[in-house]
Amino acid sequence: MRFKRLTPASLFLNGLVVVCTLILTFPLVWIVMMSLKQQAEVMTLPPRFVFTPTFENFRVLFDAAQAGATSYGTIKVDFLTPVANSVVISLGAVLVSLIAGVPAGYVLARRDIPRKEDIAFFILGFRFAPALLVVLPLFSVFQTVGLYDTYLGMIWVYQVVTLPMIIWLSRSYIEDIPKDIEEAAAMDGAKPFRVVWHIVLPLLKPGLIGASLLIFLLAWHNFALGLILSSTKAPVTVALLKLLNPGVQFYPVMAAGLVVTMIVPIVLIILGQRHLERGLTFGAVK
């Protein structure tokens, strides 16, 4: 087997890639190690990289009935409930965003409406607006109309995060589909709804699957909206905050919670890697 001779420049670039990979993966490896350590081992200096792993932290995380009998003192998290809350809220937010966002993206891509570029940038502006700017005025409104700490209210408010993204992504995908295909179908007598349903949506399918995965990850990792507008329906990101109790150190249990929180996005990325790549590059090459 012949090996290509590496130049100093390529050696430097390869070394730079290795360094960046180590920097990015070190926090993840450290969190996984913390989740498998005892409390005393976490606080030792210098840190131990060789230890006897334990799954006690994961048992404490999910076994709320016996958590009080552990060496961690009184800690009752019942982490399965916030995981289920995050799944329901994130999936609901994705579904509502697809139903409302794809038609909006189609109109912005195909119809000649006044000041549509201004409208599109106004919608995108919500994606970059501070979450507290939206949440604080909604807090009293949600309590008044009964949407506080409900799945419906959380799915609705999560549209601030997910809807602008799906509108912009679907608009970009639709603009990359040749308009001649729709015009040819219209000349054959197809109604606008049939053109969109039978021609546009099948062509959009790869991009929409990738976009759905992206906005699901955005919803899954959101923290501010759940912190202000939920209590019993709090997502996993808010549940982790309960383990940051001043004076009581639950760091290994919190690390176990972070590992569980990362499992769902990692599994989705692995399973949907092909769709994510196609969604991100959809329309890049015409």
Side-chain angles (χ1 to χ4, degrees):
M1 180 182 293
R2 297 181 61 185
F3 293 94
K4 186 178 179 180
R5 188 173 182 180
L6 296 176
T7 63
S10 60
L11 280 173
F12 173 76
L13 292 175
N14 290 340
L16 193 62
V17 170
V18 172
V19 171
C20 291
T21 304
L22 291 175
I23 292 174
L24 291 173
T25 56
F26 178 76
L28 299 178
V29 174
W30 187 256
I31 289 172
V32 174
M33 289 175 60
M34 282 183 62
S35 69
L36 299 175
K37 287 184 176 181
Q38 298 285 350
Q39 176 68 32
E41 295 174 324
V42 171
M43 305 306 295
T44 56
L45 290 175
R48 295 179 182 176
F49 292 92
V50 179
F51 58 92
T52 303
T54 176
F55 290 98
E56 174 70 9
N57 303 313
F58 292 92
R59 189 190 71 80
V60 173
L61 195 65
F62 288 100
D63 194 353
Q66 300 181 19
T70 68
S71 58
Y72 295 98
T74 54
I75 170 175
K76 292 186 178 180
V77 182
D78 188 14
F79 207 64
L80 192 59
T81 298
V83 169
N85 291 339
S86 283
V87 171
V88 173
I89 294 170
S90 299
L91 287 178
V94 171
L95 182 61
V96 173
S97 293
L98 287 174
I99 294 173
V102 174
Y106 182 83
V107 170
L108 289 173
R110 289 290 192 248
R111 304 300 182 193
D112 293 327
I113 58 177
R115 305 180 72 85
K116 70 175 185 179
E117 290 299 326
D118 295 335
I119 296 173
F121 276 102
F122 177 77
I123 294 172
L124 184 64
F126 279 94
R127 174 66 190 88
F128 301 104
L132 292 178
L133 184 69
V134 178
V135 171
L136 292 180
L138 283 178
F139 179 74
S140 59
V141 174
F142 269 42
Q143 287 191 321
T144 303
V145 301
L147 287 177
Y148 177 79
D149 197 27
T150 63
Y151 286 136
L152 179 60
M154 294 299 294
I155 291 171
W156 178 31
V157 78
Y158 267 51
Q159 298 308 306
V160 176
V161 177
T162 57
L163 189 57
M165 286 295 294
I166 202 70
I167 290 176
W168 265 80
L169 289 173
S170 60
R171 180 198 184 197
S172 174
Y173 299 156
I174 293 167
E175 286 178 341
D176 289 328
I177 296 175
K179 197 174 181 179
D180 297 342
I181 299 176
E182 297 178 52
E183 293 175 347
M187 291 180 65
D188 289 339
K191 301 295 183 184
F193 178 78
R194 289 177 60 86
V195 171
V196 173
W197 188 258
H198 292 288
I199 296 177
V200 177
L201 285 182
L203 293 174
L204 278 178
K205 183 180 176 182
L208 289 182
I209 293 176
S212 300
L213 290 173
L214 285 176
I215 62 174
F216 180 89
L217 296 177
L218 285 176
W220 182 269
H221 292 295
N222 189 273
F223 173 74
L225 299 175
L227 177 66
I228 304 295
L229 299 176
S230 67
S231 177
T232 59
K233 301 294 189 297
V236 287
T237 50
V238 178
L240 289 172
L241 187 66
K242 297 179 180 178
L243 299 175
L244 285 177
N245 192 351
V248 184
Q249 298 167 347
F250 297 137
Y251 297 138
V253 183
M254 186 173 187
L258 286 171
V259 172
V260 173
T261 305
M262 289 188 295
I263 287 176
V264 173
I266 289 174
V267 169
L268 281 178
I269 290 173
I270 293 175
L271 295 178
Q273 185 178 5
R274 180 170 58 90
H275 295 294
L276 271 174
E277 291 175 354
R278 294 187 66 181
L280 291 172
T281 60
F282 191 79
V285 179
K286 295 182 179 179

